[in-house]
PDB file of all heavy atoms in Angstrom:
ATOM      1  N   LEU M 323      25.270 -70.025  94.211  1.00  0.00           N
ATOM      2  CA  LEU M 323      26.438 -69.204  94.532  1.00  0.00           C
ATOM      3  C   LEU M 323      26.828 -69.374  95.998  1.00  0.00           C
ATOM      4  O   LEU M 323      28.010 -69.443  96.334  1.00  0.00           O
ATOM      5  CB  LEU M 323      26.145 -67.719  94.244  1.00  0.00           C
ATOM      6  CG  LEU M 323      26.322 -67.254  92.798  1.00  0.00           C
ATOM      7  CD1 LEU M 323      25.445 -68.021  91.833  1.00  0.00           C
ATOM      8  CD2 LEU M 323      26.083 -65.768  92.662  1.00  0.00           C
ATOM      9  N   ASN M 324      25.813 -69.454  96.871  1.00  0.00           N
ATOM     10  CA  ASN M 324      26.092 -69.606  98.308  1.00  0.00           C
ATOM     11  C   ASN M 324      26.868 -70.886  98.577  1.00  0.00           C
ATOM     12  O   ASN M 324      27.894 -70.877  99.258  1.00  0.00           O
ATOM     13  CB  ASN M 324      24.782 -69.649  99.109  1.00  0.00           C
ATOM     14  CG  ASN M 324      24.024 -68.351  99.038  1.00  0.00           C
ATOM     15  OD1 ASN M 324      23.472 -68.016  98.001  1.00  0.00           O
ATOM     16  ND2 ASN M 324      23.986 -67.597 100.115  1.00  0.00           N
ATOM     17  N   VAL M 325      26.327 -72.011  98.065  1.00  0.00           N
ATOM     18  CA  VAL M 325      26.913 -73.307  98.434  1.00  0.00           C
ATOM     19  C   VAL M 325      28.250 -73.546  97.734  1.00  0.00           C
ATOM     20  O   VAL M 325      29.164 -74.118  98.330  1.00  0.00           O
ATOM     21  CB  VAL M 325      25.934 -74.469  98.168  1.00  0.00           C
ATOM     22  CG1 VAL M 325      24.761 -74.398  99.115  1.00  0.00           C
ATOM     23  CG2 VAL M 325      25.456 -74.518  96.728  1.00  0.00           C
ATOM     24  N   LEU M 326      28.376 -73.102  96.493  1.00  0.00           N
ATOM     25  CA  LEU M 326      29.647 -73.338  95.789  1.00  0.00           C
ATOM     26  C   LEU M 326      30.758 -72.486  96.388  1.00  0.00           C
ATOM     27  O   LEU M 326      31.917 -72.875  96.395  1.00  0.00           O
ATOM     28  CB  LEU M 326      29.499 -73.068  94.286  1.00  0.00           C
ATOM     29  CG  LEU M 326      28.577 -74.051  93.550  1.00  0.00           C
ATOM     30  CD1 LEU M 326      28.435 -73.671  92.081  1.00  0.00           C
ATOM     31  CD2 LEU M 326      29.090 -75.496  93.664  1.00  0.00           C
ATOM     32  N   HIS M 327      30.390 -71.313  96.933  1.00  0.00           N
ATOM     33  CA  HIS M 327      31.398 -70.444  97.539  1.00  0.00           C
ATOM     34  C   HIS M 327      32.064 -71.116  98.740  1.00  0.00           C
ATOM     35  O   HIS M 327      33.269 -70.983  98.943  1.00  0.00           O
ATOM     36  CB  HIS M 327      30.760 -69.119  97.968  1.00  0.00           C
ATOM     37  CG  HIS M 327      31.748 -68.173  98.584  1.00  0.00           C
ATOM     38  ND1 HIS M 327      32.649 -67.453  97.823  1.00  0.00           N
ATOM     39  CD2 HIS M 327      32.014 -67.868  99.881  1.00  0.00           C
ATOM     40  CE1 HIS M 327      33.410 -66.729  98.623  1.00  0.00           C
ATOM     41  NE2 HIS M 327      33.044 -66.964  99.870  1.00  0.00           N
ATOM     42  N   THR M 328      31.273 -71.842  99.544  1.00  0.00           N
ATOM     43  CA  THR M 328      31.865 -72.417 100.759  1.00  0.00           C
ATOM     44  C   THR M 328      32.257 -73.892 100.588  1.00  0.00           C
ATOM     45  O   THR M 328      32.813 -74.487 101.512  1.00  0.00           O
ATOM     46  CB  THR M 328      30.891 -72.290 101.962  1.00  0.00           C
ATOM     47  OG1 THR M 328      29.633 -72.866 101.595  1.00  0.00           O
ATOM     48  CG2 THR M 328      30.705 -70.857 102.393  1.00  0.00           C
ATOM     49  N   LEU M 329      31.966 -74.471  99.407  1.00  0.00           N
ATOM     50  CA  LEU M 329      32.301 -75.886  99.195  1.00  0.00           C
ATOM     51  C   LEU M 329      33.830 -76.077  99.224  1.00  0.00           C
ATOM     52  O   LEU M 329      34.552 -75.490  98.423  1.00  0.00           O
ATOM     53  CB  LEU M 329      31.739 -76.348  97.833  1.00  0.00           C
ATOM     54  CG  LEU M 329      32.038 -77.787  97.428  1.00  0.00           C
ATOM     55  CD1 LEU M 329      31.404 -78.791  98.382  1.00  0.00           C
ATOM     56  CD2 LEU M 329      31.550 -78.060  96.001  1.00  0.00           C
ATOM     57  N   LYS M 330      34.295 -76.922 100.167  1.00  0.00           N
ATOM     58  CA  LYS M 330      35.746 -77.165 100.262  1.00  0.00           C
ATOM     59  C   LYS M 330      36.159 -78.365  99.410  1.00  0.00           C
ATOM     60  O   LYS M 330      37.277 -78.449  98.933  1.00  0.00           O
ATOM     61  CB  LYS M 330      36.123 -77.428 101.722  1.00  0.00           C
ATOM     62  CG  LYS M 330      36.105 -76.173 102.584  1.00  0.00           C
ATOM     63  CD  LYS M 330      36.979 -76.318 103.804  1.00  0.00           C
ATOM     64  CE  LYS M 330      36.255 -76.985 104.929  1.00  0.00           C
ATOM     65  NZ  LYS M 330      36.981 -77.037 106.186  1.00  0.00           N
ATOM     66  N   THR M 331      35.240 -79.328  99.253  1.00  0.00           N
ATOM     67  CA  THR M 331      35.538 -80.530  98.480  1.00  0.00           C
ATOM     68  C   THR M 331      35.665 -80.153  96.998  1.00  0.00           C
ATOM     69  O   THR M 331      34.914 -79.299  96.514  1.00  0.00           O
ATOM     70  CB  THR M 331      34.386 -81.552  98.651  1.00  0.00           C
ATOM     71  OG1 THR M 331      34.043 -81.595 100.027  1.00  0.00           O
ATOM     72  CG2 THR M 331      34.764 -82.928  98.166  1.00  0.00           C
ATOM     73  N   ASP M 332      36.609 -80.784  96.317  1.00  0.00           N
ATOM     74  CA  ASP M 332      36.830 -80.499  94.893  1.00  0.00           C
ATOM     75  C   ASP M 332      35.564 -80.863  94.093  1.00  0.00           C
ATOM     76  O   ASP M 332      35.115 -82.014  94.118  1.00  0.00           O
ATOM     77  CB  ASP M 332      38.033 -81.340  94.425  1.00  0.00           C
ATOM     78  CG  ASP M 332      38.530 -80.937  93.049  1.00  0.00           C
ATOM     79  OD1 ASP M 332      37.689 -80.758  92.144  1.00  0.00           O
ATOM     80  OD2 ASP M 332      39.753 -80.802  92.891  1.00  0.00           O
ATOM     81  N   LEU M 333      35.006 -79.878  93.383  1.00  0.00           N
ATOM     82  CA  LEU M 333      33.744 -80.123  92.659  1.00  0.00           C
ATOM     83  C   LEU M 333      33.916 -81.190  91.571  1.00  0.00           C
ATOM     84  O   LEU M 333      32.991 -81.972  91.313  1.00  0.00           O
ATOM     85  CB  LEU M 333      33.204 -78.805  92.067  1.00  0.00           C
ATOM     86  CG  LEU M 333      31.869 -78.898  91.319  1.00  0.00           C
ATOM     87  CD1 LEU M 333      30.744 -79.456  92.190  1.00  0.00           C
ATOM     88  CD2 LEU M 333      31.452 -77.535  90.766  1.00  0.00           C
ATOM     89  N   VAL M 334      35.084 -81.232  90.948  1.00  0.00           N
ATOM     90  CA  VAL M 334      35.302 -82.256  89.908  1.00  0.00           C
ATOM     91  C   VAL M 334      35.281 -83.655  90.549  1.00  0.00           C
ATOM     92  O   VAL M 334      34.697 -84.593  89.989  1.00  0.00           O
ATOM     93  CB  VAL M 334      36.619 -81.996  89.134  1.00  0.00           C
ATOM     94  CG1 VAL M 334      36.929 -83.147  88.185  1.00  0.00           C
ATOM     95  CG2 VAL M 334      36.520 -80.685  88.360  1.00  0.00           C
ATOM     96  N   GLU M 335      35.879 -83.777  91.755  1.00  0.00           N
ATOM     97  CA  GLU M 335      35.841 -85.071  92.474  1.00  0.00           C
ATOM     98  C   GLU M 335      34.394 -85.491  92.717  1.00  0.00           C
ATOM     99  O   GLU M 335      34.036 -86.656  92.574  1.00  0.00           O
ATOM    100  CB  GLU M 335      36.544 -84.961  93.847  1.00  0.00           C
ATOM    101  CG  GLU M 335      38.047 -84.889  93.807  1.00  0.00           C
ATOM    102  CD  GLU M 335      38.719 -86.208  93.429  1.00  0.00           C
ATOM    103  OE1 GLU M 335      38.017 -87.159  93.027  1.00  0.00           O
ATOM    104  OE2 GLU M 335      39.956 -86.267  93.497  1.00  0.00           O
ATOM    105  N   VAL M 336      33.576 -84.516  93.119  1.00  0.00           N
ATOM    106  CA  VAL M 336      32.164 -84.809  93.386  1.00  0.00           C
ATOM    107  C   VAL M 336      31.497 -85.306  92.089  1.00  0.00           C
ATOM    108  O   VAL M 336      30.776 -86.304  92.096  1.00  0.00           O
ATOM    109  CB  VAL M 336      31.419 -83.565  93.944  1.00  0.00           C
ATOM    110  CG1 VAL M 336      29.942 -83.853  94.146  1.00  0.00           C
ATOM    111  CG2 VAL M 336      32.048 -83.078  95.247  1.00  0.00           C
ATOM    112  N   CYS M 337      31.768 -84.613  90.982  1.00  0.00           N
ATOM    113  CA  CYS M 337      31.158 -84.995  89.688  1.00  0.00           C
ATOM    114  C   CYS M 337      31.586 -86.408  89.295  1.00  0.00           C
ATOM    115  O   CYS M 337      30.744 -87.216  88.869  1.00  0.00           O
ATOM    116  CB  CYS M 337      31.561 -84.017  88.589  1.00  0.00           C
ATOM    117  SG  CYS M 337      30.929 -82.361  88.879  1.00  0.00           S
ATOM    118  N   LEU M 338      32.889 -86.706  89.434  1.00  0.00           N
ATOM    119  CA  LEU M 338      33.376 -88.038  89.038  1.00  0.00           C
ATOM    120  C   LEU M 338      32.734 -89.113  89.914  1.00  0.00           C
ATOM    121  O   LEU M 338      32.384 -90.201  89.430  1.00  0.00           O
ATOM    122  CB  LEU M 338      34.908 -88.098  89.131  1.00  0.00           C
ATOM    123  CG  LEU M 338      35.646 -87.139  88.166  1.00  0.00           C
ATOM    124  CD1 LEU M 338      37.147 -87.199  88.393  1.00  0.00           C
ATOM    125  CD2 LEU M 338      35.308 -87.458  86.703  1.00  0.00           C
ATOM    126  N   ALA M 339      32.534 -88.790  91.194  1.00  0.00           N
ATOM    127  CA  ALA M 339      31.908 -89.760  92.103  1.00  0.00           C
ATOM    128  C   ALA M 339      30.434 -89.982  91.729  1.00  0.00           C
ATOM    129  O   ALA M 339      29.919 -91.098  91.849  1.00  0.00           O
ATOM    130  CB  ALA M 339      32.024 -89.270  93.539  1.00  0.00           C
ATOM    131  N   ILE M 340      29.779 -88.944  91.246  1.00  0.00           N
ATOM    132  CA  ILE M 340      28.381 -89.106  90.800  1.00  0.00           C
ATOM    133  C   ILE M 340      28.356 -90.016  89.561  1.00  0.00           C
ATOM    134  O   ILE M 340      27.570 -90.962  89.486  1.00  0.00           O
ATOM    135  CB  ILE M 340      27.735 -87.731  90.470  1.00  0.00           C
ATOM    136  CG1 ILE M 340      27.534 -86.920  91.758  1.00  0.00           C
ATOM    137  CG2 ILE M 340      26.400 -87.912  89.740  1.00  0.00           C
ATOM    138  CD1 ILE M 340      27.065 -85.489  91.540  1.00  0.00           C
ATOM    139  N   ILE M 341      29.252 -89.730  88.628  1.00  0.00           N
ATOM    140  CA  ILE M 341      29.281 -90.509  87.373  1.00  0.00           C
ATOM    141  C   ILE M 341      29.552 -91.990  87.664  1.00  0.00           C
ATOM    142  O   ILE M 341      28.896 -92.870  87.117  1.00  0.00           O
ATOM    143  CB  ILE M 341      30.340 -89.907  86.408  1.00  0.00           C
ATOM    144  CG1 ILE M 341      29.869 -88.522  85.941  1.00  0.00           C
ATOM    145  CG2 ILE M 341      30.619 -90.828  85.230  1.00  0.00           C
ATOM    146  CD1 ILE M 341      30.946 -87.629  85.371  1.00  0.00           C
ATOM    147  N   ASP M 342      30.497 -92.251  88.587  1.00  0.00           N
ATOM    148  CA  ASP M 342      30.849 -93.658  88.899  1.00  0.00           C
ATOM    149  C   ASP M 342      29.948 -94.257  89.983  1.00  0.00           C
ATOM    150  O   ASP M 342      30.222 -95.372  90.458  1.00  0.00           O
ATOM    151  CB  ASP M 342      32.303 -93.743  89.395  1.00  0.00           C
ATOM    152  CG  ASP M 342      33.284 -93.248  88.350  1.00  0.00           C
ATOM    153  OD1 ASP M 342      32.890 -93.200  87.165  1.00  0.00           O
ATOM    154  OD2 ASP M 342      34.411 -92.892  88.720  1.00  0.00           O
ATOM    155  N   GLU M 343      28.980 -93.523  90.436  1.00  0.00           N
ATOM    156  CA  GLU M 343      28.050 -93.956  91.502  1.00  0.00           C
ATOM    157  C   GLU M 343      28.803 -94.426  92.744  1.00  0.00           C
ATOM    158  O   GLU M 343      28.557 -95.500  93.294  1.00  0.00           O
ATOM    159  CB  GLU M 343      27.118 -95.048  90.972  1.00  0.00           C
ATOM    160  CG  GLU M 343      26.267 -94.548  89.812  1.00  0.00           C
ATOM    161  CD  GLU M 343      25.088 -95.439  89.467  1.00  0.00           C
ATOM    162  OE1 GLU M 343      25.030 -96.564  89.956  1.00  0.00           O
ATOM    163  OE2 GLU M 343      24.214 -94.970  88.702  1.00  0.00           O
ATOM    164  N   ARG M 344      29.745 -93.568  93.196  1.00  0.00           N
ATOM    165  CA  ARG M 344      30.437 -93.853  94.457  1.00  0.00           C
ATOM    166  C   ARG M 344      30.434 -92.607  95.360  1.00  0.00           C
ATOM    167  O   ARG M 344      31.405 -92.298  96.041  1.00  0.00           O
ATOM    168  CB  ARG M 344      31.863 -94.367  94.219  1.00  0.00           C
ATOM    169  CG  ARG M 344      32.673 -93.498  93.299  1.00  0.00           C
ATOM    170  CD  ARG M 344      34.135 -93.902  93.155  1.00  0.00           C
ATOM    171  NE  ARG M 344      34.754 -93.038  92.173  1.00  0.00           N
ATOM    172  CZ  ARG M 344      35.175 -91.789  92.393  1.00  0.00           C
ATOM    173  NH1 ARG M 344      35.065 -91.244  93.578  1.00  0.00           N
ATOM    174  NH2 ARG M 344      35.714 -91.076  91.414  1.00  0.00           N
ATOM    175  N   LEU M 345      29.293 -91.909  95.324  1.00  0.00           N
ATOM    176  CA  LEU M 345      29.165 -90.670  96.102  1.00  0.00           C
ATOM    177  C   LEU M 345      29.258 -90.927  97.610  1.00  0.00           C
ATOM    178  O   LEU M 345      29.668 -90.052  98.371  1.00  0.00           O
ATOM    179  CB  LEU M 345      27.833 -89.985  95.740  1.00  0.00           C
ATOM    180  CG  LEU M 345      27.692 -88.514  96.074  1.00  0.00           C
ATOM    181  CD1 LEU M 345      28.795 -87.666  95.465  1.00  0.00           C
ATOM    182  CD2 LEU M 345      26.335 -87.985  95.589  1.00  0.00           C
ATOM    183  N   SER M 346      28.896 -92.147  98.031  1.00  0.00           N
ATOM    184  CA  SER M 346      28.945 -92.465  99.467  1.00  0.00           C
ATOM    185  C   SER M 346      30.385 -92.389  99.990  1.00  0.00           C
ATOM    186  O   SER M 346      30.610 -92.254 101.190  1.00  0.00           O
ATOM    187  CB  SER M 346      28.375 -93.857  99.724  1.00  0.00           C
ATOM    188  OG  SER M 346      29.154 -94.799  99.036  1.00  0.00           O
ATOM    189  N   LYS M 347      31.371 -92.431  99.087  1.00  0.00           N
ATOM    190  CA  LYS M 347      32.785 -92.401  99.508  1.00  0.00           C
ATOM    191  C   LYS M 347      33.298 -90.957  99.643  1.00  0.00           C
ATOM    192  O   LYS M 347      34.426 -90.724 100.056  1.00  0.00           O
ATOM    193  CB  LYS M 347      33.664 -93.128  98.467  1.00  0.00           C
ATOM    194  CG  LYS M 347      33.276 -94.555  98.181  1.00  0.00           C
ATOM    195  CD  LYS M 347      33.883 -95.481  99.223  1.00  0.00           C
ATOM    196  CE  LYS M 347      33.661 -96.942  98.955  1.00  0.00           C
ATOM    197  NZ  LYS M 347      32.262 -97.368  98.869  1.00  0.00           N
ATOM    198  N   ILE M 348      32.471 -89.999  99.246  1.00  0.00           N
ATOM    199  CA  ILE M 348      32.919 -88.591  99.230  1.00  0.00           C
ATOM    200  C   ILE M 348      32.537 -87.900 100.542  1.00  0.00           C
ATOM    201  O   ILE M 348      31.429 -88.067 101.043  1.00  0.00           O
ATOM    202  CB  ILE M 348      32.260 -87.841  98.036  1.00  0.00           C
ATOM    203  CG1 ILE M 348      32.846 -88.323  96.720  1.00  0.00           C
ATOM    204  CG2 ILE M 348      32.347 -86.335  98.163  1.00  0.00           C
ATOM    205  CD1 ILE M 348      34.210 -87.778  96.357  1.00  0.00           C
ATOM    206  N   ARG M 349      33.485 -87.121 101.079  1.00  0.00           N
ATOM    207  CA  ARG M 349      33.141 -86.294 102.244  1.00  0.00           C
ATOM    208  C   ARG M 349      32.884 -84.876 101.743  1.00  0.00           C
ATOM    209  O   ARG M 349      33.812 -84.214 101.243  1.00  0.00           O
ATOM    210  CB  ARG M 349      34.324 -86.268 103.226  1.00  0.00           C
ATOM    211  CG  ARG M 349      34.017 -86.901 104.563  1.00  0.00           C
ATOM    212  CD  ARG M 349      35.274 -86.919 105.387  1.00  0.00           C
ATOM    213  NE  ARG M 349      35.447 -85.638 106.086  1.00  0.00           N
ATOM    214  CZ  ARG M 349      34.871 -85.365 107.233  1.00  0.00           C
ATOM    215  NH1 ARG M 349      34.103 -86.246 107.829  1.00  0.00           N
ATOM    216  NH2 ARG M 349      35.065 -84.194 107.817  1.00  0.00           N
ATOM    217  N   LEU M 350      31.635 -84.463 101.840  1.00  0.00           N
ATOM    218  CA  LEU M 350      31.277 -83.131 101.340  1.00  0.00           C
ATOM    219  C   LEU M 350      31.520 -82.129 102.472  1.00  0.00           C
ATOM    220  O   LEU M 350      30.869 -82.198 103.514  1.00  0.00           O
ATOM    221  CB  LEU M 350      29.795 -83.160 100.937  1.00  0.00           C
ATOM    222  CG  LEU M 350      29.323 -82.198  99.861  1.00  0.00           C
ATOM    223  CD1 LEU M 350      30.156 -82.321  98.594  1.00  0.00           C
ATOM    224  CD2 LEU M 350      27.848 -82.449  99.544  1.00  0.00           C
ATOM    225  N   GLU M 351      32.489 -81.224 102.274  1.00  0.00           N
ATOM    226  CA  GLU M 351      32.817 -80.285 103.358  1.00  0.00           C
ATOM    227  C   GLU M 351      32.604 -78.836 102.909  1.00  0.00           C
ATOM    228  O   GLU M 351      32.870 -78.489 101.753  1.00  0.00           O
ATOM    229  CB  GLU M 351      34.269 -80.474 103.774  1.00  0.00           C
ATOM    230  CG  GLU M 351      34.478 -81.778 104.516  1.00  0.00           C
ATOM    231  CD  GLU M 351      35.893 -81.883 105.037  1.00  0.00           C
ATOM    232  OE1 GLU M 351      36.784 -82.104 104.189  1.00  0.00           O
ATOM    233  OE2 GLU M 351      36.097 -81.721 106.249  1.00  0.00           O
TER     234      GLU M 351
END
Side-chain angles (χ1 to χ4, degrees):
L323 277 59
N324 295 71
V325 292
L326 293 177
H327 181 77
T328 54
L329 178 63
K330 286 203 275 186
T331 315
D332 191 314
L333 182 58
V334 173
E335 286 288 9
V336 177
C337 295
L338 296 176
I340 291 173
I341 292 161
D342 299 341
E343 299 195 348
R344 51 174 176 79
L345 199 56
S346 61
K347 303 276 185 301
I348 290 282
R349 244 175 85 84
L350 207 54
E351 289 186 287

